[in-house]
Amino acid sequence: MTPLSASDSTLVRAEADRRRTFAVISHPDAGKSTLTEAMALHARLLDQAGATHGKASRAASLSDWGELERERGISISSTALRFGYGDAIFNLLDTPGHADFSEDTYRVLTAVDFAVMLLDAAKGMETQTRKLFDACRRLGLPVVTVVNKWDRPGQGALELFDAVQEATGRVPVAVNWPVGESGRFEGLLTPGESTYLRHEAVDSGAHLAHEEHREGVTDAHLDPGVWKAAVEGASIATELNGVFDRTAFLAGTQTPVMFTAAAGNLGVRALLDFLLNQAPAPTGRTDVHGQIRTVDAEFSGYVFKVQAGMNPAHRDQIAFVRVNSGTFERGMDLRHAQSGRPVLSKYAHHLVGRGRQTANESRPGDVVGIVNATGLGVGDTIHAGPPVVFPGMPRFNPERFRVVRNRDAARHKGFAKGLAQLESEGAIQVLRDAEGSPGGPVLAAVGDLQFEVATERLHREFGAEVALDAPLSYDRARPIPAHGVQELKAVTGLRILYRPDGEALVLFPDRWKLERTVGQFPALFPEEGLAG
Ligand code: GDP
């Protein structure tokens, strides 16, 4: 492998600059799918958002993984949506929609450069909204806040601003401001300007909204009181919280706020324009030694998702890789940084969007699917050229624990293999005691759904007959350094288990015991108080 020439490097930097790689996240039902469709509509990916009903067909029309799906009979279309907008390429990475907040969502967030957080105007901050904001904080992600469903009666805009600030510590600043209270969405003004963008939904979401600029004061269609209230609201928000500052947004101290009614395509164009002009493009990523692999260095990427077993006939495994640097080409020489082994890139798939503006190469910020990538685990690095290792996937502290038993000794091999596979995908955590848990390891999860998925897959993909014991009476866990094990062994009521990489995890029966232990041994829990 020869290093990139100067002109290649300029090209890769320019391509990276065009990328906007992000996730839309929200409490279920806030309108994530609707906004995704509306964005795709604006990007002219579809001529009719919402014209197809049912998530399956919609997903199929939104992405272009068709070839791989046909070949393998598996569905991966929801992993990422790619579309051109202006001269940019947007990579919208999908997060699981189910209510159990899981590590899956967190993993996707490690592969994006910013997040778009949707709030339902009527519901404001909800449970998942808080958890997701917290996940973004832990990952240092800039967040654009979008108040959706402004066409429906809901809370006041200033009230929502307060709620966001109180729950997240980020200062919400108005990029635009709704003309009309929630339930009467007439248009959007830019704070400080005398005109506004009047809009009208056409054909309930099937076409772009009708939009035109009007003078607020003289607009005959607007009740003067409505205009006055909007101007007042916007100026209060600006006086209290200041104006948009890109540096503060990127640092996570500010969150720009915009208003939409995604179902009617209202405010969506303004959102896309904002992302195009202000949201961050991919930049160099820091490796485990604190060195930055710049975007124009040779190819490197990071596995953020592993999907296996969608088709039992093939026992396929696809590793989804976010390109961190360089250009990915099928057939290139690649290595798996953790094992040093070569990775077969011949059957890799670029995620290619539709439309003229999306290129066929995968550049920084893009997603590549590597088929039959046995041995690649979530959080692993692959690279061409000089070796690099990016920090692995941060693990969640599990909250539910159940011993899993193999009921058929003849199928022990499948059982062991299956557990190793689920662990490497990050589908569930597998913990063992100092003796190796001969009776059966402890499965540890963040949400109950993970146990169901794990037992079902052990059976279906690995032919193992398993049984889960009743849940253990612990409800939180924290990692400790190896030297802490001896000290904590003497404490009653705790249990110490080990992750496959040898890291020790202490299980606590309740919050009280956790706080007491942290108070007694603060040096063993340096992160406590920082993250949940
Ligand atoms: P998700 O669970 O976050 O993906 O939410 P969906 O996109 O499936 O939307 C949930 C429900 O809210 C659906 O019935 C949508 O039609 C509706 N919805 C989404 N956006 C809007 C909006 O802007 N206005 C109104 N009135 N309804 C919306």
Side-chain angles (χ1 to χ4, degrees):
M1 267 277 141
T2 46
L4 297 184
S5 71
S7 64
D8 283 350
S9 138
T10 310
L11 177 70
V12 174
R13 268 186 273 132
E15 287 295 333
D17 276 345
R18 294 170 64 201
R19 296 322 195 257
R20 299 289 178 273
T21 300
F22 65 109
V24 177
I25 50 181
S26 71
H27 190 89
D29 260 5
K32 195 170 68 139
S33 321
T34 310
L35 181 71
T36 303
E37 275 184 49
M39 285 183 166
L41 174 72
H42 281 74
R44 301 187 187 286
L45 229 170
L46 294 175
D47 18 68
Q48 295 211 323
T52 49
H53 293 287
K55 300 220 175 191
S57 60
R58 185 162 62 199
S61 65
L62 282 172
S63 73
D64 202 8
W65 283 96
E67 184 195 346
L68 183 53
E69 281 179 50
R70 272 194 306 277
E71 259 175 39
R72 306 278 168 165
I74 59 175
S75 169
I76 53 172
S77 35
S78 61
T79 293
L81 167 68
R82 173 160 147 148
F83 55 87
Y85 186 75
D87 47 9
I89 291 174
F90 283 53
N91 292 309
L92 205 179
L93 272 51
D94 193 39
T95 53
H98 59 73
D100 246 4
F101 175 72
S102 67
E103 292 191 74
D104 295 346
T105 302
Y106 193 83
R107 282 194 279 270
V108 173
L109 290 177
T110 65
V112 301
D113 297 310
F114 63 95
V116 171
M117 177 76 75
L118 271 189
L119 305 189
D120 180 321
K123 297 188 176 141
M125 294 295 297
E126 298 179 81
T127 333
Q128 304 291 333
T129 330
R130 286 172 205 275
K131 288 191 181 177
L132 288 163
F133 259 116
D134 191 52
C136 291
R137 179 182 59 77
R138 290 167 62 177
L139 289 165
L141 283 182
V143 178
V144 179
T145 301
V146 172
V147 178
N148 188 38
K149 304 198 188 180
W150 198 257
D151 59 319
R152 287 237 196 104
Q155 303 181 22
L158 289 168
E159 206 181 321
L160 288 161
F161 270 48
D162 279 350
V164 168
Q165 180 150 14
E166 191 261 320
T168 71
R170 295 185 198 230
V171 179
V173 289
V175 171
N176 58 27
W177 194 263
V179 178
E181 60 196 18
S182 48
R184 262 187 75 180
F185 199 7
E186 308 274 5
L188 287 162
L189 64 76
T190 306
E193 289 182 9
S194 65
T195 61
Y196 79 106
L197 193 65
R198 185 177 179 81
H199 59 211
E200 211 173 310
V202 185
D203 214 3
S204 63
H207 297 97
L208 296 188
H210 178 72
E211 294 179 321
E212 62 183 281
H213 282 283
R214 300 264 181 101
E215 273 299 320
V217 179
T218 56
D219 184 3
H221 290 275
L222 205 57
D223 183 332
V226 170
W227 175 251
K228 200 165 156 254
V231 171
E232 241 172 55
S235 74
I236 293 173
T238 313
E239 269 163 40
L240 289 177
N241 292 358
V243 293
F244 173 69
D245 174 87
R246 189 163 187 264
T247 312
F249 160 52
L250 299 185
T253 54
Q254 261 195 4
T255 178
V257 183
M258 307 188 71
F259 293 80
T260 60
N265 296 316
L266 305 180
V268 177
R269 189 195 302 266
L271 172 63
L272 286 166
D273 286 342
F274 181 80
L275 302 184
L276 177 68
N277 296 317
Q278 305 292 355
T283 52
R285 289 241 159 173
T286 309
D287 70 12
V288 288
H289 304 296
Q291 303 287 319
I292 292 175
R293 179 96 161 191
T294 55
V295 288
D296 60 353
E298 279 184 76
F299 168 78
S300 67
Y302 167 79
V303 180
F304 67 95
K305 172 173 166 179
V306 171
Q307 194 162 357
M310 298 306 288
N311 180 353
H314 286 282
R315 188 167 293 181
D316 255 340
Q317 170 162 321
I318 298 180
F320 292 95
V321 175
R322 177 203 149 110
V323 179
N324 282 351
S325 66
T327 302
F328 178 87
E329 283 162 42
R330 204 177 292 175
M332 75 194 304
D333 284 337
L334 288 183
R335 270 182 199 279
H336 174 217
Q338 276 69 16
S339 67
R341 285 208 291 265
V343 173
L344 202 59
S345 70
K346 198 160 71 176
Y347 304 111
H349 290 260
H350 301 277
L351 175 57
V352 184
R354 291 185 180 167
R356 278 173 292 122
Q357 316 206 33
T358 48
N360 277 325
E361 301 87 23
S362 295
R363 310 283 193 181
D366 290 343
V367 174
V368 181
I370 300 201
V371 183
N372 284 339
T374 343
L376 289 190
V378 163
D380 287 358
T381 301
I382 58 173
H383 65 88
V388 59
V389 181
F390 296 108
M393 192 67 71
R395 302 300 318 247
F396 259 65
N397 292 324
E399 295 169 10
R400 309 208 193 323
F401 308 88
R402 299 181 76 169
V403 171
V404 60
R405 297 186 192 279
N406 176 28
R407 294 201 327 202
D408 182 351
R411 302 199 187 159
H412 182 76
K413 230 171 136 186
F415 177 68
K417 213 168 156 186
L419 286 177
Q421 173 69 28
L422 294 177
E423 165 72 28
S424 83
E425 284 177 35
I428 202 150
Q429 300 185 33
V430 182
L431 308 176
R432 291 185 169 83
D433 61 23
E435 282 72 50
S437 292
V442 174
L443 296 186
V446 179
D448 282 327
L449 197 64
Q450 287 173 262
F451 291 114
E452 264 171 62
V453 172
T455 46
E456 208 271 326
R457 287 189 52 191
L458 283 169
H459 174 69
R460 183 166 49 88
E461 292 168 38
F462 299 92
E465 287 302 323
V466 305
L468 288 178
D469 286 2
L472 300 177
S473 49
Y474 300 95
D475 72 357
R476 55 207 72 208
R478 296 291 184 270
I480 50 160
H483 66 79
V485 171
Q486 213 45 41
E487 282 177 82
L488 292 193
K489 259 190 189 162
V491 181
T492 53
L494 304 183
R495 182 151 177 202
I496 298 172
L497 295 171
Y498 298 86
R499 286 178 163 149
D501 64 1
E503 185 177 38
L505 206 63
V506 192
L507 277 51
F508 301 90
D510 49 41
R511 186 166 60 99
W512 180 81
K513 188 74 184 171
L514 168 68
E515 283 170 5
R516 221 178 117 99
T517 312
V518 170
Q520 279 175 301
F521 304 93
L524 297 182
F525 304 93
E527 303 230 327
E528 218 40 44
L530 290 175

